[in-house]
Amino acid sequence: MIRFENVGMRYGMGPEILRDVSFHLAPGSLHFLTGPSGAGKTSLLKLMFLASRPSRGLITMFGRDIATLPRAELPDLRRRVGVVFQEFRLLDHLTTYENVALPLKIQGRSEDSYRADVKELLAWVGLGERMTAKPPTLSGGEKQRAAIARAVVAQPDVLLADEPTGNVDPEMGKRLLRLFIELNRLGTSVLIATHDHALVEAAGAPELMINGGRLTVRG
Ligand SMILES: Nc1ncnc2c1ncn2[C@@H]1O[C@H](COP(=O)(O)OP(=O)(O)O)[C@@H](O)[C@H]1O
Ligand SMILES: [Mg+2]
């Protein structure tokens, strides 16, 4: 699904923050991405949703080398990847419901075909009463749950989540983990960046650990 071979990454002329990173995510796999703050977790995710370019090495997504991918194919590739950004990136002028439904709307689906599913998902993440609220009036944890619902609503092939439980209490953290596991059971490859060890232990999934720019796989 995603393969990295000897990937290096740097910002501008700075030092390489990722060095010789090699791993692959198989279809239907679930992994955690761990490492201390500043280790490069967010930077690695940026490579995977094509927001940054590697300074060396090979990255293939869905069997395509991203370095030679024609621009015209980028939107299609991005549609297959759901992302929960650390800073949420919700659209402030849309309601919570509209934010979460947006990926389906962009696919050209009729609202009648998804309204009930979106409402059910919102209820599941505890936002049933906040559907018509706009992001500026949501708490940090509510925004995080809306961002997660938006990332999973279209059942992407790959889900990348950056610290998805950073703003919620442990109970909600476990609930969100169940949502990721459920999505994974439906076939989505899931990668969760976190420094929450309780979450990693609760799921018992393999860990991609970044330290000193190097990545090792555990489990
Ligand atoms: N836009 C940027 N420009 C320059 N350096 C950056 C930028 N974003 C992150 N960094 C640096 O890259 C390193 C890895 O950061 P990051 O990927 O955010 O780590 P993590 O998500 O594991 O906390 C840090 O040293 C950070 O300061
Ligand atoms: Mg980060």
Side-chain angles (χ1 to χ4, degrees):
M1 197 121 278
I2 297 185
R3 180 176 294 277
F4 276 46
E5 282 176 30
N6 300 312
V7 169
M9 183 195 168
R10 62 173 83 241
Y11 287 99
M13 302 309 283
E16 271 196 329
I17 54 145
L18 296 173
R19 287 196 296 258
D20 293 315
V21 168
S22 299
F23 67 93
H24 75 279
L25 301 182
S29 60
L30 172 69
H31 290 86
F32 287 99
L33 177 62
T34 61
S37 180
K41 300 182 294 298
T42 297
S43 301
L44 185 73
L45 295 179
K46 279 186 190 164
L47 292 172
M48 284 190 241
F49 62 81
L50 312 175
S52 296
R53 292 261 170 194
S55 42
R56 60 189 172 89
L58 174 71
I59 300 177
T60 61
M61 296 187 67
F62 313 113
R64 309 290 305 271
D65 178 351
I66 62 157
T68 58
L69 196 73
R71 244 176 192 288
E73 290 181 34
L74 275 181
D76 191 50
L77 196 146
R78 283 220 172 88
R79 254 196 297 282
R80 300 177 68 179
V81 181
V83 186
V84 182
F85 297 97
Q86 209 164 3
E87 71 285 7
F88 318 128
R89 301 198 195 174
L90 298 166
L91 299 173
D92 285 349
H93 63 287
L94 299 181
T95 65
T96 302
Y97 168 87
E98 288 164 342
N99 266 284
V100 172
L102 195 59
L104 302 172
K105 192 172 176 180
I106 290 171
Q107 284 179 6
R109 287 181 48 182
S110 74
E111 191 173 3
D112 284 343
S113 74
Y114 62 67
R115 189 183 295 108
D117 291 344
V118 171
K119 287 184 175 174
E120 190 188 345
L121 178 59
L122 281 164
W124 171 258
V125 298
L127 291 174
E129 309 294 311
R130 305 292 276 143
M131 282 195 282
T132 58
K134 291 187 175 172
T137 70
L138 299 179
S139 72
E142 287 172 336
K143 284 183 202 165
Q144 186 151 48
R145 286 178 272 144
I148 290 171
R150 181 184 57 183
V152 305
V153 72
Q155 287 185 23
D157 292 324
V158 175
L159 177 77
L160 308 173
D162 201 355
E163 308 275 2
T165 60
N167 293 274
V168 299
D169 59 52
E171 268 317 298
M172 182 49 78
K174 279 188 213 142
R175 197 174 170 84
L176 295 174
L177 180 62
R178 286 216 299 281
L179 180 65
F180 294 133
I181 290 173
E182 186 58 33
L183 187 75
N184 178 243
R185 281 209 190 98
L186 294 171
T188 298
S189 298
V190 175
L191 180 62
I192 304 169
T194 186
H195 57 252
D196 180 354
H197 286 288
L199 199 69
V200 178
E201 269 151 39
E207 250 176 281
L208 307 177
M209 296 186 293
I210 311 181
N211 218 328
R214 310 256 173 197
L215 184 140
T216 53
V217 185
R218 183 165 83 183

